[in-house]
Every structure is written in structure tokens, then in C-alpha cells.
Amino acid sequence: MNNVSLSSNSYQIKLLLTQLRTVVGERDVLSAERDMAFYTRGMRFGRGEAQAVVLPRTLLTLWRVLQSCVEHDVIVLMQAAKTGVTGGSTPYGSDYDRPVVVVSTRHLAGVQVIDEARQVIAFPGSTLTELENALRPLGKEPHSVIGSSCIGASVVGGICNNSGGSLVRRGPAFTEKSLFAQIDADGQLKLINNLGIALGDSPEEILSNLVAGTYTAGHAPDWNGRIWASDYADKLRDVSADSPARYNGDPDYLCESAGCAGKLAVFAVRLPTFDASPKTTTFYIGSNSEADLVALRRSLLQKLSRLPIQAEYIHRNAFDLTLRYAKHVYKAIRRFGPERLPDLIMRKAQIEKYIRATRILPANTLDIVIQLRNRLTPHGLPKRLAAYRTRFEHHLMIKTDKEDATEIHALLQEHLNQDSSAFFECTQDEARDAFLLRFSVGACTLNYCEAHGIDTDERLVAFDVALRRNDPHWRLTLPEALREQVLLESCCGHFFCFVNHQDYILKPGYDPAEFKCQVMVYLNERGARYPAEHNVGHLYQAAPDYVQQMKALDPTNSFNPGIGKTSRKKFWA
């Protein structure tokens, strides 16, 4: 928003801030730039200006915050765990046509287990870890688990972004059942209950009954409906298909909150649970032949009686960068559990705020200290994992139900070329550390940039790519002119889904926007779709049918305008 319009609206902004403080309390309305910094900068990409950050602590106060924002005609950016990598849940720049208010739902945690533990209702601030912990004593699992860049991710954020996750059988996050607020074409805020549960008529009644659990699950006439992508496993097995299995904005998985990209304010979603596997086996595969692994993937998808639980890939470059620059991440998860990581990240941000305020120490002082400790401490990996890192370029972890292990073991022996590949069955500790390393990869390039004082907007270029199911290649092999621009790269991914996460740190002096455009040309030639699972954010152009979906959800363009490189103007002008 430009300075002239900001000045002309300053009185209205003061009124809004006063009203918001009345609704949520003084401490939960942030308006100083340094206090808002954590919420106005993306985890990897994007930063912008906001007039306030509001942190409601109940669903009812969230509703009243939205009422105030609509009354004062401001832009609302709904923000959950802020784990996305495309800047889609933070302001981007300063050229909005209305004041911007970020509404963080991090205090709105809560999970309700319903229908004899066959389903759950998740509130806006609930995390995947919270959901896992709630279901574990019941012998159940959620749709998704902690993933590559999304440790600490929220359940609702995953639905809004159609996040894919690492669980092979369950597909992208999706539901047709949710409770959400929408601004209609007349600028009126409405609370729409499509949870399939009778909760009352007024917003106050609906929200109060939901939070108190004063409802009967299963008796509403529209209780039935799709609450997960049950066709996904069949899509994966179609290895000859000339299209990706999943990608962000796929019309098959767009419905109201699902894939809404922040164009609605979501209060709750209804999701399925799944029986937990009582015992599992993890195979660790090393190879120096990409072709061997691609052929193995094709064979396993066609021949396995039941698909494995997870199939995760790490390239040796990512392995090395993670051991060097994200060692503290996987060690923290191993020691404290994933549920503590968001608190640790917030604590780090608070310390950095005070460091910046002193103007004595470099802004990245804490990152320098962390990386010094990483350099001086041992990696702590089991010996066989470390040995495979030395022997092999490509690393693949396949986790399966124990009763399926014999079948997979036989197929690995049959299809892997022993001259270029090998595998072993992991112990419990080896399996734990292998997946922790894999799910810490998303932090390695970010931590490298932070430690070296590199602006991630200028030199870190990330790709989240859904490859064709019949693509004969896995790696992104760039033309020589593009490879020359790269200082470091990191590659990991969900291998059976053929979703590749590729990060590039560019050498100084190269244009990241031009580099990204040229890589997109290469990806288009391969028939890939992007992003695969992290939302279009402010990095990618939304497809025309996706834009039409956004316009239908938010006709006044008041929620998250500009997403997918669309208009930031009111009514999409």
C-alpha cells in the first residue's frame, strides 16, 4: 500500500486497531514492525507490509476479528503454522490497495475425535503432530505425518493447500466437509457450516456448540461425503500415464476449503483416520544409478500386492548439506519430538528480534552460533547410514507393513542391479534416523543462507515439481547454461508419487527470476506440473481454472489477494 493512501486511511486504521484490541486484548494485536516481523516474512520466500497481526485465542474471537476487518474493508491474510515455502501465507510487497491484517491461528489448536475414532474434526491451529499424538493411543493415524518442509505444519493449512505429504496410499490433503467464513459478492461475511453436523443457526451458536462438543456426529442428512482422496493409490499404479499423479490446483481435489489457498477463513475441517500399522519394516536402498531406481519404482508400483507406507528419496548433495547445516534440526526432533519444534522456532525468532534491536551484532548472529556448533559436534547417524552416504549417490527409504516386508525384499533382490545398488533392512533406530534426516532436508538450504547472510529471496530458488507418472527420469538435469549459475543444490522427494523437491542456491550476480523462468521452460518440456504440493503462493502463476475457483470463493478479493500472481485489487480489478 503506498504512503499516500496509507496516510489518508490512518484514522480508520487506528479505529480498526482499537476495535481489534477490544476483541482479542492488547497483547494479541501486534502493530510494531519488529513485533510483526516473524509473521510478515515467509519461511523461505516473500516478505511484505501489514498494519497489524492479530492472534485470536478462540473461534468466536476469530469470527469477531473477521467481522471487524470486513467492517473496515481491509485485506485479511489467514496464517496457520507458516511452514509454506512459496510465501502464500504472508504479505508480499507493499502495493496492496487496502490495509493488510494478518490473522494468525496458531493459538486455535484443538482436535475432536468423533465417530468411534474413525474421523476427526481439526481446528485452525491444530498441527499434524498434535493430531498424531491424539490418535496414537487409539491405534489410529491421521491422513498425513510430518513432512519434508512441513515439520510443525497445521492440519487446516494442509487442506487449504492440497498438501501432498509422504504417505503413499493416501494422496493429497482433501475434504468436502468444513466450516468456513466467506465474504460474498455484496461484501457480507457469512459463516458456512458444511461439516455435515447440525450445530445451530447463528455463528455464535455454531461455534459455541462445536467447541463444546454439544452435537451428535453421524445423524445429519449430509454426513456422508468425500473426506480423502481415496482414488490416489490407483492413480499411482497407472505408471504409463502421461501426467502427474497429483499437483496443486488439481480440479479433482478442489472443493471449498480444500485447495482454497487462503481465499476462505477456515474454522474446522472433518477428516478420516486410518488404522495404525502395528509393526513396520524399513528398507534403506543406496544406488549409483538413477535408472535403476526409476525402474524399481515402476516395478514395485505394478507388482506389489499392497503399496508401502512411505517411499522417500534423498540425493547425496542433500544428505551432505543436511548433515552440515540442518544437523540441529533432526537432533532436536530426535531429542524433543516434533511437537516442540514450532516453539523452538518461535523462541529463535524472539532472540533474533532482540539481536536486531541492539544494532551491535550481525542479524544472523544466532545462525552463526548454531552452525559453529553443528561443525564441532558429531553427526550421530548410525554407521550403516553414514557408510551408504559414502558409497552411493542416491538414497531411498521404503517403509512398509511388516507382513509385506517379505514380498518387497524379494522384489528388491530381483530388480536392483547389484553392481550399482544395495539395500539393507533397518533397525528401529536406523529407520527413525533415516526419516528424520529426510524430513530435515527442507531446512538445509535455508540454514545455509542464514548462516552465510544470503538473502533467500535473491539467491535461493526452490522447485516443487510433480513429474509425469511415466517419466523415465527422476532428477532435474538442467542445461549447461543454467547449471553454471548454481552454487549448491539439494534434491529430495516423495519417490513413488514422483514429487521432486529441488532447491538451488545461485552464485552471486545471477537473476533468480530469470533462472526460475528458464527452469520452468525445461519443466514444461518434460510435461511436469508445479507446484506439486506447496501451493502457488507468490511464486507460481495459477492455472486459469484455479483462478476461476478462487474468484468464486472470494468475489471481493479480500482474502489473500495476489496469490498465484493474480490481481491484488478489490473485486479482482
Side-chain angles (χ1 to χ4, degrees), residues 454-505:
I454 294 173
D455 187 335
T456 55
D457 286 353
E458 294 296 327
R459 291 180 51 194
L460 177 56
V461 183
F463 291 93
D464 169 31
V465 182
L467 300 171
R468 300 186 338 264
R469 283 168 281 177
N470 65 353
D471 196 318
H473 303 288
W474 164 250
R475 295 297 312 282
L476 306 187
T477 306
L478 302 182
E480 181 62 28
L482 291 179
R483 291 202 300 271
E484 289 178 354
Q485 300 180 37
V486 176
L487 175 67
L488 293 169
E489 65 171 295
S490 167
C491 175
C492 64
H494 311 307
F495 195 65
F496 277 23
C497 305
F498 246 28
V499 168
N500 185 312
H501 298 310
Q502 180 77 49
D503 285 5
Y504 297 103
I505 300 175

Side-chain angles (χ1 to χ4, degrees), residues 176 262 307 315 458 492:
E176 293 177 347
L307 293 183
H315 188 268
E458 294 296 327
C492 64

Side-chain angles (χ1 to χ4, degrees), residues 21-82:
R21 290 185 176 109
T22 301
V23 172
V24 301
E26 185 78 24
R27 66 170 178 165
D28 289 327
V29 179
L30 312 178
S31 56
E33 185 175 344
R34 74 173 189 175
D35 293 333
M36 294 190 294
F38 175 79
Y39 301 91
T40 57
R41 178 166 184 165
M43 187 181 78
R44 288 201 198 178
F45 172 82
R47 70 191 76 174
E49 297 179 5
Q51 300 306 308
V53 174
V54 188
L55 296 97
R57 294 177 182 265
T58 68
L59 294 185
L60 189 54
T61 54
L62 171 59
W63 171 253
R64 289 171 178 163
V65 165
L66 295 175
Q67 285 180 309
S68 297
C69 289
V70 171
E71 178 186 342
H72 289 269
D73 192 25
V74 300
I75 287 168
V76 176
L77 296 187
M78 298 298 300
Q79 185 180 100
K82 200 175 74 80

Side-chain angles (χ1 to χ4, degrees), residues 171-182:
F174 173 77
T175 184
E176 293 177 347
K177 299 298 184 182
S178 62
L179 173 67
F180 57 90
Q182 181 177 38

Side-chain angles (χ1 to χ4, degrees), residues 540-573:
Y540 299 97
Q541 178 72 53
D545 55 349
Y546 198 10
V547 174
Q548 290 306 310
Q549 169 81 355
M550 294 180 190
K551 289 183 176 180
L553 294 177
D554 183 21
T556 67
N557 203 21
S558 296
F559 283 118
N560 210 7
I563 197 81
K565 297 187 181 294
T566 58
S567 170
R568 294 167 180 257
K569 307 293 185 182
K570 192 171 183 180
F571 294 110
W572 303 83

Side-chain angles (χ1 to χ4, degrees), residues 59-64 123 179 191 199 202-213 267:
L59 294 185
L60 189 54
T61 54
L62 171 59
W63 171 253
R64 289 171 178 163
F123 292 170
L179 173 67
L191 186 66
L199 293 169
S202 70
E204 291 76 12
E205 188 179 10
I206 290 170
L207 297 174
S208 297
N209 286 331
L210 176 62
V211 171
F267 285 70

Side-chain angles (χ1 to χ4, degrees), residues 148 151 322 326 329-330 333 435-444:
S148 53
I151 297 172
T322 303
V329 176
Y330 80 78
I333 300 171
F435 278 102
L436 284 182
L437 183 76
R438 161 64 185 90
F439 293 139
S440 301
V441 169
C444 70

